[in-house]
């Protein structure tokens, strides 16, 4: 059903060709294509030099034994001639026909008794009062034969004629011992290990975060999540409230227990007792849950109370475990010289991670518990109340929720733009948010389920797409500013990029699962979490493994160049070597990158084939 | 026990899949739902446990208004209604026993079950149910290693794990060989007769309806065309249900 074009086909083709030509012509100008330059002698010479250096990666090194032989020599023959040279022939020596010659003249030079097959440079050494030890000026190289003899012609420098004796020097170098790895190769090895681990950490932690996020950005799961306005409004109030309470609790607990945190044994005791206690409490709590009473408000309030007690206990446990690990780490790794320092150090690093994550954990749990309870309460209220009461309920709850959200958003923006003006960050958004909530409460039918899931999906997708569009290389620049130069910044940048990219890929896999099993599990009366665990997770494991491998592969590639912006790893040395025109060392770096990337490629393809 | 009152479903695309359907189902009945494909059978069955939200009418189950139930109440209702599907809808990468155990999800603690922890009694029950459909020895195989007939038996065992008062079976034998079809239908019959579980089963073949159903309801383009004993379906009724050009086979 193509529409008939008003122009004859040939004209259309001609115009298209012309347009293509113009586009490419302009492109050539913009990209400054310059073929003349590519042919110029200077450029070709430097290209040759670089390529040859690159072809000789400096992987191995030798120890050298050097023999230094020097003969007096006069630049400019004095009148009356000079004595014939007569060097000591018991060791290596050099011979010239005459011990004098004019500047710029080419002279023949012989060497004998050198180490067989040794080689090295030949210098003209000029002496002056300022440089009594002589200033060597390279004239050429020699290569001795199997007997240790050589003959070369060298051109004397165009220096001023001098009456005093100067010298010719030959420095013979012989490799001794087996080849060993060059310092460049050692650095390369160190950095490539760093690179691979950077990729490993980024992939692991990025994936761990990406998995839950992918569920929130899968349309098929989220489009079913619908709640009435009352429930949404209460959830929007409950979440920030719970998060704030969680953070406050974690701060209070830290303060309350601070006197214990300096003692090894106190933290040990806490780290043992508290987790056990919260586990026991949790078990008791689970065993005492009675489904049939669950709908009663008092019962749910009691459940909330128990949940809060358990979370607080768990939070205290986390805090103590973190502090204990720090103590243990400090004890195990008092200085850098202890054996297996990295393992010992890891203990305190784990402690630090725990300490960092404790408030995050507290905020999430608090938000989840309160948000969940509030949402449930709102849901039940909407379900049970008559429509008119639900409307009134909405008219109260929605403006409060709107104001809360708007104020929180403006507080966030305030951090970036520093308005320092309560009218901008507090009153105005509160008023606008409340008005918006009120309007919504008026418009929406009181019990109508609203597609919250789709909204959350939209927010997650937008955030992911935004994050993904920033290259890891650029993120690394920000992280370098935050945590300083080095692989940590690189790992953070790669990790963040992994979260964004993999969450997207994963969520597409969630969207393409079979809906049949999902429907079947739902039909058994399973709740949302159970449905995900039993119907979604088994279906997505193979593609998740596959994409994680793929990302690990990409991260290894990326980590090789993230050092270019200071992100650590092999890229950092590679860039330095290129800047210092140290191409033979750069060649080692590139070789290492090629080997690592190629083997990663291979390993990941083998593993993918095996497990998927 | 189940009252369908004036039930309607209009899909988002504007398709009127159910149009004012009303009928009752008595406790312990084996009711066949017949009709051409596209007549609304699947939609009807899925409205009953609200896998699909009806757009009009009421469903009363055991005196409770299903259409007005909240999400949590719906979970409690669903767990008493087993469902068996045309394409079995097993989680193919999971083990058979896990598939069967998932029938208990409405009863067990959500957190513990999410860690795949089931009580000993639940596991025993799952093995018993598999024994009942004759595939206990396949319990620890992956579900997709089983044949179609075996998979449908897993589907039935899963539904039975819910200790259901009613089973909704959506063309349970449509993707099976005729020989296997009878064996599956016999399991449903056994559940119906021995356990007193009410069965609502949509079927394609009239001979199966005659053989197994106490009663039949027929749909055509979302409208209820017939409600009575399968014996009453004479040629005239048949053409009303299946259209003028339909030819009776079997
Ligand atoms: N998800 C859907 N969206 C839109 N239309 C649908 C959907 N599912 C089914 N339909 C339509 O509703 C009608 C009834 O379908 P269905 O209940 O599957 O019939 P049956 O199970 O009897 O074959 C058909 O016309 C079908 O095309
Ligand atoms: Mg169907």
């Amino acid at each position: 059903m193509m529409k008939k074009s008003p122009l004859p086909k040939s004209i259309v083709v001609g115009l298209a060709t012309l347009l293509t030509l113009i586009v490419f012509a302009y492109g050539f100008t913009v990209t400054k294509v310059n073929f003349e330059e590519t042919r110029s002698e200077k450029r070709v010479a430097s290209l040759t030099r670089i390529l040859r250096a690159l072809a000789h990666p400096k992987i191995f090194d030798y120890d050298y034994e050097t023999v230094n032989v020097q003969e007096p020599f006069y630049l400019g023959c004095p009148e009356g001639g000079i004595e014939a040279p007569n060097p000591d022939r018991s060791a290596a020596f050099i011979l010239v026909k005459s011990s004098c010659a004019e500047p710029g003249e080419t002279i023949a030079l012989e060497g004998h008794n050198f180490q067989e097959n040794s080689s090295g440079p030949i210098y003209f050494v000029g002496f002056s009062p300022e440089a009594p030890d002589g200033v060597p000026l390279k004239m050429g190289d020699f290569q001795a034969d199997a007997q240790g003899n050589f003959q070369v012609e060298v051109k004397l420098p165009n220096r001023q004629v001098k009456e005093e004796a100067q010298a010719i020097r030959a420095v013979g170098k012989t490799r001794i011992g087996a080849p060993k790895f060059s310092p460049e190769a050692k650095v390369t090895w160190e950095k490539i290990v760093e690179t691979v681990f950077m990729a490993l950490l980024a992939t692991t932690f990025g994936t761990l975060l990406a998995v839950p996020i992918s569920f929130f950005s899968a349309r098929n799961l989220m489009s079913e999540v619908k709640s009435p306005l009352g429930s949404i409004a209460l959830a929007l109030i409950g979440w920030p409230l719970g998060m704030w309470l969680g953070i406050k609790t974690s701060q209070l607990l830290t303060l309350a227990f601070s006197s214990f945190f300096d003692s090894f044994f106190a933290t040990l005791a806490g780290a043992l007792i508290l987790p056990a206690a919260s586990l026991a409490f949790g078990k008791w709590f689970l065993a005492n849950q009675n489904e049939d009473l669950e709908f009663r408000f008092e019962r749910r309030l009691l459940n909330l109370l128990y949940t809060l007690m358990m979370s607080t206990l768990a939070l205290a446990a986390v805090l103590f475990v973190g502090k204990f690990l720090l103590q243990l780490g400090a004890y195990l790794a008092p200085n850098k010289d202890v054996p297996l320092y990295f393992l010992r150090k890891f203990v305190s690093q784990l402690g630090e991670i725990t300490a960092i994550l404790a408030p995050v954990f507290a905020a999430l749990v608090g938000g989840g518990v309160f948000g969940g309870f509030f949402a449930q309460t709102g849901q039940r209220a909407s379900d049970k109340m008559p429509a008119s009461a639900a409307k009134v309920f909405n008219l109260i709850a929605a403006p409060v929720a709107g104001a809360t959200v708007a104020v929180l958003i403006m507080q966030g923006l305030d951090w970036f733009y520093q308005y320092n003006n309560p009218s901008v960050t507090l009153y105005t958004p509160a008023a606008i948010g409340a008005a918006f909530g009120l309007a919504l409460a008026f418009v929406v039918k009181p019990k109508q389920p609203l597609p919250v899931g789709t909204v959350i999906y939209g927010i997650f997708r937008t955030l992911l797409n935004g994050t993904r569009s920033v290259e890891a290389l650029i993120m690394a620049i920000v992280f370098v500013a935050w945590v300083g130069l080095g692989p940590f910044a690189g790992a953070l940048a790669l990790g963040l990029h992994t979260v964004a990219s993999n969450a997207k890929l994963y969520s597409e896999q969630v969207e393409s699962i079979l809906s049949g099993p999902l429907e079947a599990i739902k039909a058994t009366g399973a709740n949302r979490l159970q449905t995900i665990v039993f119907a979604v997770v088994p279906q997505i494991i193979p593609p998740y493994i596959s994409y994680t491998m793929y990302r690990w592969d990409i991260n290894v590639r990326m980590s090789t160049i993230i050092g270019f912006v200071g992100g650590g790893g092999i890229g950092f040395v590679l860039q330095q070597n290129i800047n210092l025109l140290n191409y033979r060392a750069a060649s080692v770096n590139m070789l290492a990158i090629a080997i690592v990337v190629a083997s990663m490629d291979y390993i990941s393809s083998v593993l993918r084939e095996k497990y998927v | 026990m189940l009252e369908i009152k004036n039930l309607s479903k209009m899909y988002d695309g504007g398709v009127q899949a159910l149009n004012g359907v009303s009928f009752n189902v008595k406790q312990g009945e084996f009711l066949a739902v017949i009709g051409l494909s596209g007549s609304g059978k699947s939609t009807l069955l899925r409205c009953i446990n609200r896998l699909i939200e009806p757009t009009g009418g009421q469903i009363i189950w055991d005196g409770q208004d299903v259409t007005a139930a909240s999400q949590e109440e719906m979970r409690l209702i669903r767990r008493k209604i087993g469902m068996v599907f045309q394409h079995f809808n097993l989680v193919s990468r999971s083990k058979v026993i896990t598939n069967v155990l998932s029938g208990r999800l409405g009863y067990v603690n959500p957190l513990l079950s999410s860690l795949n922890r089931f009580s000993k009694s639940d596991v025993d029950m799952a093995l018993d149910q598999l024994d009942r459909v004759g595939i206990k020895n396949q319990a620890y195989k992956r579900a997709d290693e089983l044949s179609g007939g075996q998979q449908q038996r897993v589907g039935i065992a899963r539904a039975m794990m819910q200790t259901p008062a009613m089973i909704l079976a959506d063309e349970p034998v449509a993707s099976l060989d005729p020989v296997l079809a009878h064996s599956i239908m016999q399991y449903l019959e056994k559940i119906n007769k021995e356990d007193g579980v009410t069965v609502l089963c949509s079927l394609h073949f009239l001979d199966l309806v005659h053989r197994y159903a106490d009663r039949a309801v027929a749909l055509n383009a979302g409208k209820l065309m017939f409600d009575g004993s399968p014996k009453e379906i004479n040629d005239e009724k048949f053409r009303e249900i299946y259209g003028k050009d339909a030819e009776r086979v079997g």
Side-chain angles (χ1 to χ4, degrees):
Chain A
M1 282 212 301
M2 285 252 293
K3 255 202 215 155
K4 203 133 169 82
S5 166
L7 288 172
K9 204 175 173 192
S10 55
I11 295 187
V12 175
V13 170
L15 279 176
T17 314
L18 192 68
L19 194 71
T20 313
L21 266 176
I22 291 173
V23 167
F24 275 86
Y26 187 65
F28 269 55
T29 310
V30 173
T31 47
K32 303 203 172 75
V33 173
N34 184 345
F35 291 108
E36 213 133 292
E37 192 76 358
T38 63
R39 281 191 302 266
S40 86
E41 220 170 275
K42 210 174 86 196
R43 297 287 175 186
V44 172
S46 73
L47 179 67
T48 313
R49 188 163 49 81
I50 292 172
L51 288 183
R52 284 194 183 145
L54 289 180
H56 290 91
K58 199 173 172 192
I59 303 173
F60 298 109
D61 232 359
Y62 296 87
D63 277 329
Y64 287 97
E65 190 180 61
T66 54
V67 181
N68 219 325
V69 180
Q70 194 164 311
E71 253 327 283
F73 194 86
Y74 295 87
L75 208 53
C77 285
E79 271 173 57
I82 47 162
E83 247 179 88
N86 187 19
D88 174 8
R89 299 183 184 228
S90 62
F93 63 97
I94 48 177
L95 270 182
V96 280
K97 275 230 175 62
S98 155
S99 290
C100 71
E102 297 306 316
E105 207 176 312
T106 300
I107 58 164
L109 190 74
E110 277 176 27
H112 301 285
N113 281 358
F114 277 80
Q115 282 276 348
E116 55 266 30
N117 297 322
S118 64
S119 63
I122 295 169
Y123 300 104
F124 178 83
V125 187
F127 295 99
S128 63
E130 296 83 47
D133 295 333
V135 180
L137 183 78
K138 193 170 162 183
M139 295 191 292
D141 288 296
F142 74 86
Q143 170 70 54
D145 60 19
Q147 281 76 48
N149 305 322
F150 69 84
Q151 280 181 318
V152 284
E153 290 197 336
V154 291
K155 192 165 173 253
L156 291 169
N158 268 318
R159 289 256 182 98
Q160 241 179 339
V161 171
K162 236 181 190 171
E163 266 179 42
E164 295 81 36
Q166 307 200 60
I168 290 180
R169 181 190 292 167
V171 181
K173 279 185 171 178
T174 332
R175 291 171 178 177
I176 52 170
K180 51 181 190 151
F181 284 111
S182 64
E184 288 83 353
K186 283 180 190 151
V187 169
T188 304
W189 171 251
E190 260 168 42
K191 289 290 167 183
I192 206 84
V193 169
E194 190 177 295
T195 305
V196 171
F197 276 96
M198 206 157 83
L200 176 70
L201 290 191
T203 313
T204 316
F205 291 105
T207 303
L208 283 180
L209 271 175
V211 169
I213 292 176
S214 70
F215 293 131
F216 285 104
S217 27
R219 184 191 281 275
N220 56 342
L221 296 186
M222 295 307 283
S223 63
E224 285 176 13
V225 182
K226 289 184 179 162
S227 293
L229 183 60
S231 171
I232 300 171
L234 284 196
L236 285 177
I237 302 169
W239 264 95
L241 178 70
M243 290 176 90
W244 180 78
L245 280 176
I247 293 172
K248 272 282 162 243
T249 313
S250 121
Q251 285 169 351
L252 278 178
L253 284 181
T254 313
L255 207 66
F257 292 125
S258 57
S259 50
F260 296 109
F261 288 160
D262 297 329
S263 149
F264 182 86
F265 289 103
T267 53
L268 173 65
L272 287 178
I273 296 166
L274 285 169
S278 48
L279 222 69
F281 190 87
K283 269 199 180 144
W284 173 83
F285 176 52
L286 282 181
N288 277 278
Q289 257 185 332
N290 187 341
E291 276 235 8
D292 298 336
L293 295 175
E294 221 177 73
F295 290 161
R296 303 251 302 276
F297 185 71
E298 311 90 83
R299 180 71 197 187
R300 290 195 303 119
L301 209 58
L302 199 65
N303 275 351
L304 175 73
L305 198 72
Y306 284 146
T307 314
L308 287 181
M309 279 161 66
M310 195 169 76
S311 316
T312 313
L313 211 54
L315 178 62
V318 170
L319 287 172
F320 266 94
V321 169
K323 292 293 177 188
F324 171 66
L325 287 174
L326 277 176
Q327 294 280 339
L328 186 66
Y331 169 76
L332 286 176
N335 57 59
K336 284 198 178 192
D337 303 324
V338 291
L340 289 180
Y341 171 74
F342 75 100
L343 262 184
R344 297 157 184 258
K345 172 99 178 146
F346 186 56
V347 174
S348 45
Q349 278 164 339
L350 278 181
E352 245 164 282
I353 293 176
T354 318
I356 293 172
L357 288 185
V360 179
F361 164 80
L364 284 181
V365 171
V369 169
F370 274 86
F373 179 77
F374 274 48
Q376 218 177 22
T377 308
Q379 177 84 48
R380 308 236 76 222
S382 293
D383 287 342
K384 292 299 156 227
M385 280 193 282
S388 54
K391 186 96 183 173
V392 175
F393 180 74
N394 286 354
L395 284 174
I396 300 169
V400 179
T404 312
V405 172
V407 167
L408 284 176
I409 290 176
M410 282 320 283
Q411 295 290 334
L413 288 181
D414 187 37
W415 185 83
F416 277 106
Y417 298 108
Q418 298 174 295
Y419 302 113
N420 293 328
N421 179 354
S423 132
V424 175
T425 58
L426 208 58
Y427 310 132
T428 318
I432 294 176
F436 187 78
L438 199 66
L440 204 62
F442 263 115
V443 175
V444 172
K445 275 192 238 144
K447 291 186 171 197
Q448 189 187 4
L450 301 179
V452 245
T454 311
V455 173
I456 297 176
Y457 158 86
I459 294 174
F460 267 87
R461 269 291 158 107
T462 313
L463 285 179
L464 285 184
N465 287 342
T467 318
R468 227 155 34 93
S469 62
V470 181
E471 265 303 325
L473 219 52
I474 295 164
M475 289 180 184
I477 297 172
V478 177
F479 281 114
V480 164
W482 182 22
V483 299
L485 289 175
F488 186 37
L492 286 174
L494 285 177
L496 185 58
H497 199 252
T498 302
V499 173
S501 316
N502 272 19
K504 175 86 190 305
L505 290 175
Y506 290 163
S507 66
E508 274 159 12
Q509 291 307 311
V510 175
E511 284 175 358
S512 67
I513 61 171
L514 296 174
S515 61
L518 206 67
E519 182 182 55
I521 299 292
K522 237 188 316 178
T524 65
N527 72 6
R528 199 161 281 133
L529 176 69
Q530 290 172 322
T531 311
I532 288 182
V533 172
F534 280 84
V536 180
V537 171
Q539 293 196 59
I540 55 176
I541 283 178
Y544 272 39
I545 291 180
S546 160
Y547 279 122
T548 308
M549 293 284 178
Y550 173 62
R551 179 56 50 185
W552 156 241
D553 193 12
I554 292 180
N555 276 348
V556 170
R557 273 163 217 270
M558 283 299 301
S559 63
T560 58
I561 53 165
I562 205 141
F564 275 47
V565 294
I570 188 89
F572 197 61
V573 262
L574 176 59
Q575 193 205 23
Q576 275 182 343
N577 283 330
I578 290 174
N579 286 350
L580 296 172
L581 309 183
N582 202 350
Y583 291 110
R584 288 194 60 197
S587 174
V588 183
N589 304 151
M590 291 191 215
L591 200 65
I593 291 174
I595 291 172
V596 165
V597 169
S599 31
M600 267 333 297
D601 212 39
Y602 176 72
I603 293 172
S604 85
S605 75
V606 167
L607 285 179
R608 262 192 281 174
E609 226 161 77
K610 207 165 174 179
Y611 288 106
V612 182
Chain B
M1 162 204 209
L2 179 70
E3 291 171 63
I4 313 270
K5 293 182 187 169
N6 223 354
L7 189 69
S8 296
K9 170 67 185 179
M10 165 104 91
Y11 279 109
D12 284 344
V15 179
Q16 186 82 42
L18 291 177
N19 194 350
V21 173
S22 306
F23 62 91
N24 291 341
V25 187
K26 285 202 284 290
Q27 169 88 45
E29 222 174 357
F30 196 121
L31 180 83
V33 180
I34 56 176
L36 288 172
S37 56
S39 59
K41 302 183 296 292
S42 303
T43 308
L44 171 66
L45 293 181
R46 279 171 176 72
C47 279
I48 293 174
N49 62 0
R50 270 178 62 193
L51 286 179
I52 291 176
E53 291 290 337
T55 44
Q58 250 187 341
I59 299 166
I60 312 285
W61 196 66
D62 259 354
Q64 193 180 4
D65 187 351
V66 175
T67 35
S70 72
Q71 279 178 14
E72 288 160 276
E73 286 165 343
M74 205 53 234
R75 282 190 52 208
L76 298 192
I77 293 171
R78 276 182 189 156
R79 68 182 196 183
K80 289 308 265 181
I81 303 178
M83 194 156 189
V84 178
F85 302 84
Q86 176 180 354
H87 300 291
F88 327 132
N89 287 0
L90 302 183
V91 181
S92 54
R93 290 180 54 87
S94 294
K95 283 193 199 122
V96 167
I97 184 96
T98 312
N99 271 287
V100 177
L101 277 168
S102 63
R104 288 305 291 167
L105 288 176
Y107 293 92
V108 296
N109 183 284
L111 281 177
L112 282 185
S113 65
S114 297
L115 301 172
N116 216 337
R117 298 268 293 264
F118 287 93
S119 68
K120 174 95 175 48
S121 60
D122 282 345
V123 176
D124 288 343
M125 183 180 175
L127 290 172
D128 280 349
Q129 290 299 345
L130 281 172
D131 200 18
R132 216 170 153 201
V133 292
I135 48 169
K136 190 180 181 182
N137 53 345
Q138 316 275 4
Y140 293 95
K141 280 195 180 167
R142 255 173 63 159
D144 55 3
E145 288 172 30
L146 269 54
S147 69
Q150 290 174 325
Q151 293 200 18
Q152 192 58 299
R153 292 192 235 175
V154 177
I156 292 175
R158 173 173 66 192
M160 287 309 288
M161 287 298 280
Q162 296 174 232
T163 55
M166 176 164 74
I167 284 191
L168 305 172
D170 187 12
E171 305 205 25
V173 295
S175 33
L176 297 176
D177 291 337
V179 188
L180 288 172
H182 277 292
S183 90
I184 294 295
M185 288 309 292
Q186 277 155 13
Y187 283 121
L188 287 176
E189 189 179 34
K190 209 164 137 192
I191 289 164
N192 176 246
K193 296 280 175 310
E194 287 176 11
D195 304 27
V197 176
T198 311
V199 176
L200 255 78
C201 181
S202 65
L203 285 171
H204 233 76
F205 289 108
L206 269 183
D207 61 335
L208 291 179
V209 178
H210 283 297
R211 168 114 186 245
Y212 296 101
D214 302 327
R215 212 177 108 209
V217 292
L219 291 175
N220 188 338
K223 281 215 173 75
L224 192 75
M225 304 302 289
F226 175 83
D227 181 353
S229 160
K231 293 191 202 82
E232 295 166 29
I233 305 179
N234 52 26
D235 285 357
E236 188 196 337
K237 280 280 172 214
F238 182 82
R239 270 196 286 279
E240 254 178 52
I241 300 167
Y242 289 105
K244 275 203 273 308
D245 307 327
E247 198 60 58
R248 241 180 132 142
V249 288

